[in-house]
Amino acid sequence: MPSRVYESSDDWDPLSNAISPPPDESVQEKEIRIKQELEAKQKSDAIDEDLNRQRAAEKKGPKPVRVLLLASGEGKSTFLKFFKLMHDPKAFSTERASWRAVIQLNVVRSIHIILDAMTHPAQPRHDTRAMSKDISSTSSSPFSGEIPLPEDTSDIEPGLFQIRSRLSSLLQVEDLLTRQLTPKDYSEVGTTQLAPIHPTKHVPTELAINSSVPWKQKFDRLVGKGDTERIIIDWDDPNDPGKIIHACGEDMIRLWKHPLVQQMLEKQNLRLEEMAGFFLDSLPEITAERYLPTDEHILRARLKTLGVSEHCVKVSAGSDIGSDWRIFDVGGHRSLVTAWAPFFENNLNAIIFLAPISAFDQVLAEAPKVNRLEDSVSLWTSIVANKILQHTDLILFLNKCDLMAAKLVSGIKLKDYVVSYGNRPNDFESTTNYLRKKFAGILKENSPLPRTFYCHYTSVTDTLSTQKVIASLKDMLMRDSLKHSTLLL
Ligand SMILES: Nc1nc2c(ncn2[C@@H]2O[C@H](COP(=O)(O)OP(=O)(O)OP(=O)(O)O)[C@@H](O)[C@H]2O)c(=O)[nH]1
Ligand SMILES: [Mg+2]
């Protein structure tokens, strides 16, 4: 039997019903409602005006270069940050206070992973095959309450216990930072959320922010700009999480450097160095009393993005054509990435596709049975085969080369995860060459129209090499943009 029956009536309009004021609305409630409606309308009109102005300017001026960033793994926002740093360093600099909070949160999270590993010392994790078997239970965040006592304490010496208990004050810091990173005027749902990053038990969740939310504004009050664009932070703010982080600094360093902790992490296959937002080797700087992040720290800071965001960057190039760049960052769940791509149709000059090659022995956080390299390959296949995008240039970044090199040197073998690699040498040149050929082959076989294969080996956290890649990219895209606009004349 249905729980609710709607009467069929020609007068019944569900939309008007939903937006009409409640029948028992008081005078005061009515006033508030009208004020809120007015504010909402003003906001919406302002957005419309902005969009119209932008469209009019686009019609008059040269066409902007439009680039979409896609990846099944990580690197999009990092590349975008780097691009902004190169072309608009002033704007980048004013965001320093916001990134300081993100880096602090990244540090606290890594420390909690260690504390949690001490709590459950017997469990090996982070191996692709082992992980695919150990996926049934999801993590309850150890940040949300007290750190539980270890299941087996035989391996842990008393000094470590004391450090561990002193570091429990970091629990408040995580909470404080999460609240700081959530803008006040936005509801928590859909803007800032803790998303699981690791499929195994006991690994804390990761902060994700919806790209449409101006989360950095929250920190504007912390930033003052002097004549020299110097960033000033209110160091006396009693709520500054930096205070607790500074007080815990030495303990955090001792914990991270402790040989027993290193042994334990190795035993559990927990490679923190490979996780997004790894800063434990920079603890002395980050826990310093008046810590302000360097450019390099900001590039490495990890904040998961949700949704699509558009970024306008002015690129000086000696020519008007193509000096205005629109870069689209598509964050979020991998299934959404393919869903978004067709919306860009023929509107794009290029798609930069980032494939994190070092992830050949890792699985996806959101689908713990799927190998991350395999996922990149299947996303690449679907993008190259997409008819709607057939006229768009594709530029492949085989990314995280720094981590790939370190992984191969440490003895991890590509052939153990990519069986077709066989007995080829396990060095950087041979493995990356092999992967490059695989991706090129997929393009050749699946692209509806013949396309040039543009490919770069990248480590987007590395300034020097990324600078070179961007320079050649700019050259290529500007020439392309010029060609298109000449054709259109
Ligand atoms: N070592 C190293 N780290 C990298 C590289 N590329 C990205 N990372 C790190 O990976 C983490 C995640 O990168 P992001 O750029 O935030 O990833 P994203 O593609 O925007 O991911 P979503 O927002 O989840 O869609 C950051 O902490 C980066 O520092 C790389 O080439 N080398
Ligand atoms: Mg991102």
Side-chain angles (χ1 to χ4, degrees):
M1 201 174 80
S3 56
R4 196 187 286 183
V5 178
Y6 290 109
E7 276 180 39
S8 155
S9 150
D10 288 345
D11 298 338
W12 191 72
D13 171 3
L15 186 63
S16 331
N17 246 22
I19 59 173
S20 61
D24 52 351
E25 184 179 48
S26 70
V27 177
Q28 207 182 7
E29 284 168 344
K30 186 175 175 184
E31 265 174 28
I32 295 173
R33 176 175 56 80
I34 290 176
K35 190 167 165 257
Q36 283 173 342
E37 283 173 3
L38 198 71
E39 280 171 5
K41 183 166 181 333
Q42 280 168 349
K43 264 188 204 164
S44 153
D45 288 349
I47 293 171
D48 284 348
E49 254 175 54
D50 258 8
L51 284 174
N52 287 339
R53 253 199 308 271
Q54 199 176 312
R55 276 189 207 118
E58 271 179 28
K59 265 190 193 159
K60 269 193 227 154
K63 274 197 176 300
V65 176
R66 292 161 65 90
V67 177
L68 172 67
L69 301 174
L70 283 184
S72 71
E74 294 153 349
K76 301 177 293 289
S77 301
T78 310
F79 175 77
L80 184 64
K81 268 188 259 175
F82 191 85
F83 200 85
K84 286 181 173 173
L85 170 67
M86 265 183 85
H87 299 100
D88 193 0
K90 254 189 199 168
F92 186 84
S93 203
T94 55
E95 294 177 355
R96 231 167 270 274
S98 326
W99 288 111
R100 175 176 176 257
V102 174
I103 293 163
Q104 288 170 331
L105 193 58
N106 289 167
V107 164
V108 172
R109 183 169 179 274
S110 297
I111 293 291
H112 271 93
I113 292 175
I114 299 180
L115 296 180
D116 196 56
M118 286 165 74
T119 308
H120 309 280
Q123 298 184 358
R125 327 151 209 212
H126 210 63
D127 174 80
T128 315
R129 284 168 290 191
M131 286 207 310
S132 5
K133 284 181 199 139
D134 183 19
I135 50 163
S136 48
S137 52
T138 47
S139 160
S140 67
S141 170
F143 291 17
S144 55
E146 279 182 17
I147 300 165
L149 279 172
E151 285 157 4
D152 175 6
T153 56
S154 53
D155 272 358
I156 302 174
E157 64 170 46
L160 267 178
F161 261 127
Q162 283 158 11
I163 293 177
R164 187 174 167 278
S165 88
R166 285 198 296 271
L167 287 180
S168 62
S169 55
L170 288 177
L171 297 174
Q172 302 160 29
V173 173
E174 199 252 350
D175 199 41
L176 200 65
L177 287 166
T178 306
R179 270 188 280 123
Q180 277 196 346
L181 287 164
T182 308
K184 206 167 119 218
D185 297 340
Y186 288 80
S187 71
E188 200 117 333
V189 179
T191 58
T192 306
Q193 49 180 268
L194 293 167
I197 186 169
H198 207 281
T200 50
K201 278 184 186 176
H202 318 304
V203 173
T205 48
E206 186 186 25
L207 187 74
I209 289 222
N210 193 311
S211 49
S212 62
V213 169
W215 62 275
K216 289 175 196 140
Q217 280 174 14
K218 176 88 181 183
F219 294 85
D220 284 355
R221 67 182 181 81
L222 294 175
V223 183
K225 273 181 275 170
D227 297 342
T228 54
E229 293 286 331
R230 220 159 39 88
I231 306 296
I232 303 154
I233 290 203
D234 178 6
W235 300 110
D236 297 325
D237 179 357
N239 291 324
D240 179 11
K243 292 209 167 3
I244 302 182
I245 289 178
H246 174 61
C248 292
E250 284 192 8
D251 276 336
M252 286 198 257
I253 294 169
R254 255 183 253 137
L255 182 81
W256 172 235
K257 297 255 174 228
H258 203 293
L260 282 181
V261 169
Q262 291 296 329
Q263 267 174 34
M264 178 195 69
L265 293 174
E266 204 183 316
K267 212 157 110 189
Q268 297 191 31
N269 288 319
L270 260 176
R271 296 195 291 261
L272 290 182
E273 295 85 343
E274 284 171 23
M275 288 190 189
F278 171 77
F279 282 102
L280 295 185
D281 282 341
S282 314
L283 279 174
E285 295 106 282
I286 294 172
T287 61
E289 202 163 4
R290 295 192 166 202
Y291 165 67
L292 256 190
T294 57
D295 290 349
E296 192 236 326
H297 281 186
I298 298 179
L299 286 175
R300 279 169 40 210
R302 165 63 173 164
L303 184 64
K304 193 175 169 65
T305 352
L306 299 174
V308 180
S309 54
E310 180 181 355
H311 302 259
C312 305
V313 188
K314 285 255 173 256
V315 173
S316 55
S319 149
D320 262 357
I321 291 164
S323 65
D324 196 6
W325 283 49
R326 303 282 150 78
I327 304 183
F328 300 89
D329 180 2
V330 181
H333 197 280
R334 70 196 169 113
S335 61
L336 295 177
V337 170
T338 20
W340 278 112
F343 284 99
F344 293 92
E345 284 191 55
N346 290 326
N347 244 336
L348 291 169
N349 295 76
I351 292 177
I352 294 180
F353 188 98
L354 294 104
I357 49 170
S358 67
F360 67 83
D361 64 338
Q362 291 170 303
V363 290
L364 288 175
E366 66 257 41
K369 282 189 178 163
V370 180
N371 178 288
R372 290 183 58 184
L373 180 61
E374 192 185 319
D375 187 61
S376 263
V377 168
S378 76
L379 183 60
W380 171 252
T381 312
S382 70
I383 294 295
V384 304
N386 193 316
K387 282 216 163 117
I388 298 174
L389 300 169
Q390 62 185 343
H391 296 291
T392 308
D393 278 335
L394 300 176
I395 302 159
L396 176 69
F397 282 12
L398 293 176
N399 194 37
K400 297 208 173 182
C401 283
D402 55 334
L403 296 177
M404 176 74 172
K407 203 167 255 187
L408 297 172
V409 167
S410 79
I412 300 172
K413 295 201 168 16
L414 183 66
K415 71 166 185 185
D416 289 345
Y417 301 87
V418 180
V419 181
S420 61
Y421 189 65
N423 281 330
R424 294 173 178 87
N426 199 51
D427 58 47
F428 183 79
E429 209 188 326
S430 317
T431 52
T432 51
N433 238 331
Y434 177 83
L435 294 174
R436 183 190 166 103
K437 280 189 189 145
K438 281 271 164 221
F439 278 91
I442 292 170
L443 180 82
K444 205 168 168 203
E445 256 175 49
N446 296 278
S447 180
L449 296 174
R451 271 170 164 145
T452 312
F453 178 60
Y454 299 103
C455 176
H456 296 274
Y457 294 123
T458 58
S459 302
V460 293
T461 42
D462 176 60
T463 355
L464 263 183
S465 64
T466 312
Q467 231 161 356
K468 282 189 197 149
V469 170
I470 288 183
S472 86
L473 198 73
K474 263 166 60 178
D475 243 31
M476 174 208 147
L477 286 177
M478 296 233 182
R479 256 185 285 122
D480 185 62
S481 173
L482 185 63
K483 196 172 72 194
H484 277 101
S485 33
T486 319
L487 287 175
L488 291 173
L489 285 178

